[in-house]
Amino acid sequence: MASPASDLRAEPDPSVAELLAARAQLRMDPFEGLMLEEVALRTVADALGTPVWVTSAGTLRGRYRQLADALDEAGLDAQLHYAVKANDHLAVLRVLQAEGAGADVVSAGELRRALLAGIAPDRIVFSGVGKSDDELMLALDSSIAQINVESREELDRLSVLADGAGRVARVVLRVNPDVDANTHAKISTGRAGDKFGIAHDEAPGLYALAATLPAIEPIGFAVHIGSQIADPAPFRAAYARVAALVRQVRAAGHAVSTVDCGGGLGIGYRDEPAGSPRALAHAIRLTLGGLGLRLLLEPGRWLAAPAGVLLSRVVRVKRQAEGPPFVVLDCAMNDLLRPSLYDSWHGVVPLSARDAVAPALPVHLVGPVCETGDTLARGRLMPELSCGARVAILDTGAYGSVMSSTYNARPLAAQALVDGARWATIRPRQPVAALWAGESVPDWIAAAGAGTAG
Ligand SMILES: *Cc1c(COP(=O)(O)O)cnc(C)c1O
């Protein structure tokens, strides 16, 4: 089996001090231990137990403003539509809504969450390759800002549904620009052959067709090339493709008012360069600026990932005759899937200031789930941890809790929100009985087992 990338890295893992120095929202207090904003994380772990997700409202706000400011400074008329799938908790949506965010949703559930959080329908866009009839109808009935159409087949279906409902659907065509974002294959979405979007050479024809449909109003284009992208070059290449389409379609006599620039801006999980809002704004300005367009962005990870940590406790330290010990945590791949799914690297920092300065040794950090893939890190250089020690897994605010499952009959972890010196529980730990609450055993099966049970 291929080794996770962390086995192969030449550079030593960043130290606890280096991880904290790169994250303004976190610091180590000599008495209180690890602090997220002004809250000692051990207080949250004491009250709610582990594993527990903790989200920083202040970090969400700060990052939203940083991105909005970068777009303003570049002179762009741009609106941020938070990609709800990154972290769809109502409190997260509400914090961002209060900052002025709209939403990018990919399902009926996300659309309803966004509305519930108070995001105005005219600030909601709906993306995704497989919207069902029910989802398209909900989008039409909710009068959302636009539906991002991903295929000719979807356009046809939407036209029929909108016509039948006596509505006009505002549509942007999502284009596949055939640009390689040089990101992990599982989160690349803008290459020819990826399932997303309309081939860019077919887009002008489809736009012209859409303009002839009475229940469809085409207003522009969308593009989203993937996630965790730091290099502005693929963004620039994709936006240049879209700018060319805008010119071509306008030259053919059609109105184009809107370009949705998607999401994808990356963060520094380890020591790789983080995506820069200013560089992204510059890439947009160079390509799409000056076309008189209303611009949308759909950031998810960049806003939410650094705002969250996952707190966990060491349940066992299992030594081997040879090689690093296994440090078994009480969180697992069912809580945080990213390391198993994408070989992703997450910083791990002890909650206690004393633990944080223990001599560093290589360890394998694993969870209790019965899968070898349930591995958070292999050979990670960590301050020595003993049983009962608690840690924070960093940058888990995006694609963290939303990807959790109850595999191995492990209830969903609790969630808390930190805001300055205040904190609150925003979801209690799922009671274990909730796992089978909706299940039933058919009568004839229950009867057959009745005589032999016990
Ligand atoms: C996932 C997704 C986003 C958000 O991507 P991030 O990398 O989290 O910024 C934006 N737009 C669309 C269409 C998406 O599928």
Side-chain angles (χ1 to χ4, degrees):
M1 205 184 104
S3 305
S6 53
D7 268 348
L8 310 171
R9 290 186 201 273
E11 293 296 312
D13 291 314
S15 66
V16 167
E18 286 166 332
L19 289 170
L20 296 181
R23 289 161 179 79
Q25 68 276 27
L26 290 166
R27 73 189 160 84
M28 190 63 78
D29 180 277
F31 304 105
E32 300 292 332
L34 188 62
M35 311 279 294
L36 179 58
E37 301 194 53
E38 296 308 315
V39 173
L41 287 169
R42 68 173 167 81
T43 317
V44 179
D46 286 347
L48 298 183
T50 52
V52 56
W53 304 93
V54 189
T55 304
S56 155
T59 306
L60 288 170
R61 290 189 200 104
R63 295 182 76 83
Y64 184 92
R65 288 173 198 170
Q66 204 183 321
L67 192 46
D69 287 351
L71 295 162
D72 274 354
E73 281 161 23
L76 296 167
D77 171 19
Q79 291 184 328
L80 297 180
H81 287 242
Y82 169 62
V84 171
K85 74 173 189 278
N87 185 331
D88 63 11
H89 193 288
L90 289 176
V92 168
L93 300 183
R94 188 70 186 190
V95 166
L96 292 170
Q97 180 268 347
E99 291 299 311
D104 166 43
V105 302
V106 295
S107 70
E110 285 190 1
L111 175 50
R112 298 184 59 162
R113 274 184 179 276
L115 292 169
L116 199 57
I119 296 173
D122 66 358
R123 296 295 313 283
I124 298 177
V125 305
F126 199 151
S127 307
V129 287
K131 305 176 200 80
S132 69
D133 284 4
D134 285 350
E135 288 177 319
L136 291 171
M137 281 310 300
L138 179 66
L140 290 169
D141 287 341
S142 308
S143 299
I144 65 169
Q146 74 197 34
I147 297 173
N148 292 8
V149 164
E150 299 238 6
S151 62
R152 173 181 297 263
E153 294 79 0
E154 184 184 4
L155 184 68
D156 290 344
R157 190 66 196 146
L158 179 60
S159 169
V160 169
L161 292 171
D163 219 11
R167 294 185 179 276
V168 174
R170 269 182 308 277
V171 155
V172 307
L173 299 185
R174 175 166 173 185
V175 175
N176 183 324
D178 193 16
V179 165
D180 191 342
N182 292 316
T183 187
H184 191 287
K186 286 184 185 166
I187 52 175
S188 174
T189 59
R191 299 166 302 185
D194 288 339
K195 71 178 174 181
F196 298 97
I198 295 155
H200 62 93
D201 51 352
E202 290 171 20
L206 199 57
Y207 202 92
L209 171 72
T212 66
L213 301 172
I216 300 286
E217 184 195 356
I219 60 171
F221 295 99
V223 68
H224 171 73
I225 54 174
S227 197
Q228 185 55 10
I229 303 163
D231 178 4
F235 286 119
R236 208 163 50 228
Y239 299 151
R241 281 247 142 104
V242 174
L245 285 176
V246 170
R247 291 198 178 87
Q248 187 182 343
V249 165
R250 280 180 174 168
H254 301 288
V256 180
S257 63
T258 303
V259 167
D260 181 338
C261 299
L265 198 59
I267 68 152
Y269 283 100
R270 190 178 188 269
D271 43 13
E272 71 274 36
S276 150
R278 295 181 71 177
L280 177 64
H282 187 64
I284 296 173
R285 200 170 85 99
L286 279 180
T287 49
L288 293 162
L291 290 174
L293 291 162
R294 190 176 67 94
L295 298 169
L296 272 54
L297 261 81
E298 302 170 343
R301 184 190 310 274
W302 193 88
L303 289 177
V309 294
L310 173 59
L311 307 185
S312 183
R313 189 169 46 85
V314 176
V315 288
R316 194 84 69 242
V317 179
K318 180 180 168 183
R319 303 197 184 278
Q320 310 189 82
E322 256 174 72
F326 289 100
V327 172
V328 188
L329 300 171
D330 69 353
C331 74
M333 64 188 286
N334 75 293
D335 301 297
L336 178 66
L337 182 60
R338 299 190 67 256
S340 307
L341 190 59
Y342 311 122
D343 289 337
S344 62
W345 195 101
H346 286 271
V348 180
V349 173
L351 295 198
S352 137
R354 182 143 25 106
D355 287 349
V357 294
L361 298 168
V363 297
H364 298 321
L365 285 166
V366 300
V369 159
C370 302
E371 301 266 354
T372 301
D374 186 21
T375 297
L376 177 60
R378 286 186 62 81
R380 177 73 60 87
L381 206 55
M382 281 285 301
E384 193 173 4
L385 294 168
S386 45
C387 200
R390 292 179 298 190
V391 296
I393 303 167
L394 308 185
D395 306 317
T396 50
Y399 308 108
S401 57
V402 284
M403 285 189 170
S404 294
S405 75
T406 58
Y407 185 43
N408 278 209
R410 294 169 46 86
L412 296 177
Q415 292 193 42
L417 182 100
V418 161
D419 192 3
R422 289 188 287 189
W423 75 271
T425 306
I426 56 171
R427 192 179 71 191
R429 186 173 312 286
Q430 187 179 35
V432 70
L435 295 178
W436 49 82
E439 298 177 11
S440 60
V441 179
D443 289 348
W444 70 93
I445 290 173
T452 58

